[in-house]
Every structure is written in C-alpha cells, then in structure tokens.
C-alpha cells in the first residue's frame, strides 16, 4: 500500500474522506488482530522446535541457525527482524512457562515467571513503592505535627491516626519485601549487588528486632 500525501486527497470531498478513513481504520484493526494470532502461532512453532531439540533456552548454534533459515525463507533478514523477534519473544516466554516444569526451567537457567507475570509484578512493585512513600509521608507529617505541639485535631484523634499509620506502614513494608524475587537475587544480581542487598536486609533485621522488643507480648509467670 503506497503512503499518501495531502495532494493525493486534495480532490476528495468530506464524505469520501470519511469513507476512506473508516476503511483504513477497519483494515488496521483487522491486521492488528491477525498479527497477534500470527505471533502466538509463530511462538508455538519456535517452542516446538526448542522442545524437539532439547534446547528450551534456544541458545545452541544449531537451533539459532534453524530459526535464521526459517526467517530467511520468509524473506526476512534476521539482522533486520528486531521488532518481530522482540514481539515473538514475549509470547515464547509466556508459552514456555506453561509448557515446561519448574525443574526444566531451572535446568535451562530460565526464570520461573513469564514475561507477563514479571510485567504484572513490576507494576505491583511500583504501586507498593508509591503507596509506601505516601503512607510514610503521612506518618512523618503527623509525627512532626505532634513534636511541634500543633493542635490540628484532638489528641485522641491524633493517637488513632498514628496507630493506623503504623499498622499501614508495617503492611506496606511486608508487601514490598514480598516483591523481592529469589531468581533475580540468585541469577541476575552481581556479587556486589547481592552484598549491597544483604547489607540492607541486615539493617532491616536489626530495626525489626528492635521494634519487636516493643511489640512482643510480656513473658508469662
């Protein structure tokens, strides 16, 4: 389909332009739907090839050559198929996590979570961090107000709010910690990054231990 210029449509009236625009939009929507199906089907083919060759990761030279030949037979130069391969990789990743067992994924050094799950987790992490920042800011503001002796609300109300803030902060902190991925820590992090994370976790442990001395129920007897 040739790309239009404004001069090409200079002689068309409003009704003709609207009809042309509707046709283009309809064709675009049709192609988009077909693209998704074709990408998913291509992913099934590629995962099938990996399973047949016992190469779930698709890292061997033989497998890569087969896929390159497949693209070349379709008239697609592998060196210029970045967008296609990136789009297919998403579906491959999701399909692999449904087709392989956790042990098979581990042997292939693949993350146990799919690209879709990682995207969802990333969004949850972002939301947890934003929530933590908001709750922390609210708690800091209340604490500052109490220190200055500001009478913006009754003392009983301030105590109730401070109590609720502390419970919310603890819940948010637990949520954020729960988002740490074991695979990322063991497989993706460099040694220096793991050491840095370990220092942060150790500091958390000390702070938690200090706070738990205040929350632990008194010993009986």
């Amino acid at each position: 389909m040739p790309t239009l210029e404004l001069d090409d449509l200079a002689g068309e009236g409003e009704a003709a332009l609207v009809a042309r625009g509707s046709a283009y939009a309809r064709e675009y929507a049709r192609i988009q739907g077909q693209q998704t199906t074709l990408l998913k089907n291509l992913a099934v083919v590629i995962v099938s090839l990996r399973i047949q060759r016992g190469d779930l990761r698709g890292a061997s030279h033989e497998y890569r050559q087969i896929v390159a030949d497949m693209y070349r037979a379709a008239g697609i130069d592998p060196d210029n198929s970045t967008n296609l391969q990136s789009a297919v990789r998403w579906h491959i990743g999701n399909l692999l996590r449904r087709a392989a067992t956790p042990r098979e994924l581990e042997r292939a050094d693949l993350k146990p979570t799919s690209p879709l799950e990682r995207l969802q987790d990333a969004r949850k992490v972002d939301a947890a961090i934003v929530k933590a920042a908001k709750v922390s800011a609210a708690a800091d503001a209340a604490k500052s107000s109490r220190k200055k002796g500001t009478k913006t609300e009754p003392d009983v109300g301030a105590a109730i709010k401070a109590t609720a803030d502390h419970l919310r902060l603890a819940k948010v902190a637990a949520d954020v910690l729960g988002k740490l991925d074991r695979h990322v820590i063991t497989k993706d992090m460099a040694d220096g990054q793991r050491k840095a994370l370990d220092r942060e976790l150790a500091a958390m442990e000390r702070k938690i231990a200090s706070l738990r001395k205040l929350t632990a129920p008194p010993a009986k007897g």
Side-chain angles (χ1 to χ4, degrees):
M1 179 182 297
T3 300
L4 294 174
E5 300 290 345
L6 287 174
D7 290 342
D8 297 329
L9 306 183
E12 291 194 1
E14 180 178 302
L17 289 172
V18 170
R20 180 188 289 273
S22 295
Y24 287 152
R26 186 165 52 250
E27 181 65 11
Y28 178 81
R30 184 185 69 82
I31 292 173
Q32 286 293 98
Q34 288 183 346
Q35 279 184 333
T36 300
T37 299
L38 290 171
L39 286 172
K40 288 182 176 179
N41 289 345
L42 181 54
V44 172
V45 169
I46 290 175
V47 171
S48 297
L49 285 169
R50 292 187 183 187
I51 291 174
Q52 285 188 12
R53 300 195 66 82
D55 181 15
L56 288 183
R57 192 175 181 82
S60 68
H61 173 74
E62 293 79 6
Y63 163 81
R64 291 178 180 274
Q65 189 60 52
I66 289 171
V67 173
D69 290 342
M70 180 179 69
Y71 284 128
R72 194 171 292 109
I76 301 172
D77 184 351
D79 295 332
N80 297 321
S81 61
T82 303
N83 291 338
L84 173 60
Q85 291 187 14
S86 177
V88 173
R89 194 175 298 120
W90 167 272
H91 296 290
I92 290 172
N94 293 328
L95 179 57
L96 273 174
R97 272 68 185 187
R98 298 198 303 270
T101 66
R103 181 170 295 182
E104 288 172 334
L105 291 172
E106 184 177 2
R107 282 202 299 264
D109 198 26
L110 291 169
K111 291 183 174 71
T113 53
S114 68
L116 177 59
E117 290 170 330
R118 291 197 293 275
L119 176 62
Q120 292 170 337
D121 287 344
R123 288 174 176 171
K124 289 178 182 177
V125 169
D126 290 342
I129 291 173
V130 170
K131 183 179 179 181
K134 289 181 178 178
V135 173
S136 180
D140 286 344
K143 184 177 180 180
S144 176
S145 177
R146 288 196 302 276
K147 283 184 176 180
K148 293 177 181 178
T150 306
K151 300 294 185 178
T152 56
E153 55 183 340
D155 289 345
V156 173
I160 292 174
K161 184 178 187 308
T163 299
D165 285 344
H166 277 60
L167 292 173
R168 290 173 65 202
L169 279 170
K171 178 66 167 60
V172 168
D175 287 344
V176 171
L177 280 176
K179 299 298 185 293
L180 294 179
D181 190 322
R182 291 175 178 270
H183 190 278
V184 172
I185 295 171
T186 58
K187 301 292 185 180
D188 297 341
M189 280 188 170
D191 290 342
Q193 293 171 320
R194 270 192 294 272
K195 288 180 180 178
L197 178 60
D198 185 64
R199 288 194 295 270
E200 296 295 339
L201 293 174
M204 291 180 200
E205 280 186 330
R206 292 191 294 271
K207 185 64 176 177
I208 290 171
S210 174
L211 291 172
R212 290 201 66 198
K213 289 179 182 178
L214 307 176
T215 61
K220 294 183 180 180

